[in-house]
Amino acid sequence: DGGITQSPKYLFRKEGQNVTLSCEQNLNHDAMYWYRQDPGQGLRLIYYSQIVNDFQKGDIAEGYSVSREKKESFPLTVTSAQKNPTAFYLCASSIPAGDGTEAFFGQGTRLTVV
Amino acid sequence: AQKVTQAQTEISVVEKEDVTLDCVYETRDTTYYLFWYKQPPSGELVFLIRRNSFDEQNEISGRYSWNFQKSTSSFNFTITASQVVDSAVYFCALSEAGSPGAGSYQLTFGKGTKLSVIP
């Protein structure tokens, strides 16, 4: 079955550590996205990538980094510079055509700082 | 800048009641796309519908219907005869068309409306 796989589902991080969230898709989509969800805040865009080896900052990129070495993979690193990383992180992908095709989402990773 | 407002933070209804979720948007583009997503407790966002700015026809899909009105910049979602399985957070989202490669396809989400259907 085609879809988006995020791992792990739950992640605990000690303060000062970097952690990497995995996102893999087998939908052959060119575009991939990372969103952060906080209670009552909706979803906010962290980074997006329209094509391999290229990515752009979203609205809240500070303290995060990404890479796009393969079309199928778009990992997100939460660095120690991110002051409040506890949140629910969602990865998505889409065909970046001009007709507003819908984005497909993974099941999310819940990150908690301990 | 684009913006999506979902004024209803939480709604509770009794099973079999009808319920309407409101969505108001702001954009300067003449070409844009509106979406509704459902987020059940499992966390994954499930796509429900897409509507482009040139198509103001209302749409019905089973118990779900959507009312798009450009005059009021609204894209409301109605669930008829609600069921417990409809309990979820519902997000309205907007995407501006932009130009190819310009990176304008990312979605701007509202803050969501949490719907609780009580048996």
Side-chain angles (χ1 to χ4, degrees):
Chain A
D1 288 333
I4 300 176
T5 302
Q6 290 187 241
S7 62
K9 190 171 182 179
Y10 298 96
L11 186 58
F12 297 89
R13 189 194 93 170
K14 293 183 179 179
E15 287 196 24
Q17 282 184 336
N18 293 354
V19 289
T20 297
L21 283 59
S22 170
C23 178
E24 303 277 335
Q25 55 101 356
N26 60 5
L27 300 168
N28 200 34
H29 287 168
D30 288 310
M32 296 187 74
Y33 312 83
W34 274 105
Y35 289 90
R36 169 178 171 146
Q37 184 178 15
D38 296 282
Q41 292 293 318
L43 278 72
R44 292 181 290 170
L45 182 66
I46 304 172
Y47 268 98
Y48 64 95
S49 168
Q50 298 282 12
I51 196 170
V52 174
N53 292 323
D54 185 56
F55 47 84
Q56 305 294 329
K57 293 182 179 180
D59 299 322
I60 55 167
E62 185 175 352
Y64 299 97
S65 66
V66 294
S67 63
R68 187 83 188 278
E69 297 177 1
K70 299 187 299 182
K71 187 175 185 178
E72 303 79 20
S73 179
F74 191 41
L76 173 73
T77 296
V78 184
T79 74
S80 56
Q82 170 51 236
K83 298 306 179 187
N84 185 23
T86 295
F88 188 56
Y89 292 87
L90 284 158
C91 178
S93 71
S94 72
I95 301 172
D99 63 351
T101 54
E102 66 271 22
F104 293 83
F105 285 80
Q107 291 197 320
T109 293
R110 191 167 299 279
L111 174 63
T112 303
V113 173
V114 296
Chain B
Q2 56 193 36
K3 183 180 178 181
V4 175
T5 301
Q6 295 179 255
Q8 304 150 309
T9 304
E10 293 191 39
I11 300 176
S12 291
V13 298
V14 177
E15 198 170 22
K16 298 184 182 177
E17 287 185 346
D18 299 347
V19 59
T20 295
L21 310 182
D22 298 332
C23 173
V24 174
Y25 62 92
E26 296 176 27
T27 178
R28 294 180 181 176
D29 274 17
T30 55
T31 302
Y32 52 90
Y33 306 92
L34 295 163
F35 304 80
W36 275 96
Y37 283 87
K38 174 182 180 180
Q39 186 179 41
S42 61
E44 180 178 0
L45 265 72
V46 178
F47 167 76
L48 296 177
I49 190 172
R50 175 185 70 242
R51 176 66 73 217
N52 73 52
S53 53
F54 298 108
D55 182 2
E56 286 194 72
Q57 277 191 332
N58 292 330
E59 181 158 339
I60 298 175
S61 177
R63 296 184 297 107
Y64 295 170
S65 62
W66 291 269
N67 181 265
F68 176 30
Q69 292 193 341
K70 288 179 72 173
S71 61
T72 56
S73 296
S74 64
F75 186 43
N76 297 337
F77 172 32
T78 297
I79 301 175
T80 302
S82 59
Q83 300 177 1
V84 173
V85 293
D86 296 327
S87 297
V89 180
Y90 291 86
F91 289 98
C92 180
L94 168 69
S95 174
E96 294 170 340
S99 57
S104 299
Y105 305 107
Q106 61 266 34
L107 295 163
T108 295
F109 285 85
K111 293 186 176 182
T113 297
K114 182 178 181 180
L115 174 65
S116 298
V117 181
I118 304 166

